[in-house]
Amino acid sequence: CLIKKGAKRRIFRWICQVFLAKKWGILIKKESESLIFTGLKIPRDYYNLAEVSHMGLFSRKPKELVYDAKECQNKKTQMRQMFNEAVEEGDGYEILHATQTSSKFEHGFIFDTNTTTFYHYILGWRQSGDKIVLVQIDRDLTQHSEAFFVDMEAVTGVHYNPKYSQASLIYRKGYSSYGEILDIGDTGSKTMYGIANTVQKEEREAFLDYLEGLRSRLEQAGHKQEKWKRE
């Protein structure tokens, strides 16, 4: 009788763990792997989000961002140094931090898993000649790739989603990829996925000013643009 009761308790505990986890979702930080980008291995961060419910684990009103202003400035100084190492005449560019993500969805026996991979960049732009360049960096700001220059002749569209602070450069049809989708938002001291303490409102507004100008030039060249909204 005692054995049966113990077994029942274990079964009940297992059921609770499975279905409560299924109900609310699980956010798990995974160990860093490496990717090859312009010949350099850069650590990447990726997370698994098991989500099978729309009950709103993340639906609460976001709290005010908490960050270390001194550390934020240090990060910007480090990124400027890294950018200048990778890009010739780097001081001629304005810069900010940007992130790209890719997702992989997998069906599971108990719950489904969505793995999101984060790629960190220093994004530089220059009004003269309409140049945009990306330098991939690791989260600890110790490594960087060679510079990747966006093919501006292939860009036919510009879009911005203010809800997610997401800027998009859309390439012409038939190009090798759809475009560049870049998260240019802020991160606080306790961020779970990005480079901590990268608050960059002034840099973001300057980049959006540049994108608005680029958008106007594309319209004048005959490329129809989506509705522009900054806030």
Side-chain angles (χ1 to χ4, degrees), residues 155-156 213-225:
V155 175
T156 58
L214 175 59
R215 182 177 179 276
S216 296
R217 291 189 291 277
L218 290 172
E219 278 186 320
Q220 291 170 6
H223 300 294
K224 188 176 180 180
Q225 302 297 302

Side-chain angles (χ1 to χ4, degrees), residues 43-147:
R44 63 183 178 183
D45 298 309
Y46 65 102
Y47 298 82
N48 282 347
L49 177 60
E51 45 187 356
V52 273
S53 172
H54 300 285
M55 294 196 66
L57 178 61
F58 302 106
S59 63
R60 295 179 182 177
K61 186 177 179 180
K63 296 180 181 179
E64 184 178 350
L65 191 68
V66 177
Y67 70 100
D68 185 323
K70 184 177 180 180
E71 184 64 20
C72 178
Q73 188 55 51
N74 289 339
K75 293 283 177 68
K76 291 179 181 180
T77 300
Q78 284 180 274
M79 284 192 272
R80 168 55 72 183
Q81 292 172 346
M82 296 175 79
F83 185 84
N84 287 357
E85 288 177 4
V87 179
E88 187 177 354
E89 298 180 351
D91 280 328
Y93 293 78
E94 295 184 67
I95 65 169
L96 80 167
H97 169 249
T99 304
Q100 285 187 331
T101 61
S102 64
S103 296
K104 181 181 179 182
F105 184 82
E106 295 178 307
H107 289 287
F109 177 72
I110 298 174
F111 50 76
D112 298 331
T113 302
N114 185 27
T115 303
T116 302
T117 307
F118 295 84
Y119 305 89
H120 305 295
Y121 300 94
I122 305 169
L123 185 157
W125 75 96
R126 189 168 73 182
Q127 293 277 358
S128 174
D130 265 342
K131 289 189 176 182
I132 298 178
V133 58
L134 294 168
V135 176
Q136 191 177 0
I137 55 176
D138 66 335
R139 192 177 184 182
D140 296 326
L141 300 180
T142 59
Q143 299 181 76
H144 65 78
S145 71
E146 295 177 3

Side-chain angles (χ1 to χ4, degrees), residues 154 171-179:
Y171 295 140
R172 63 172 179 261
K173 290 183 179 179
Y175 198 69
S176 57
S177 63
Y178 171 77

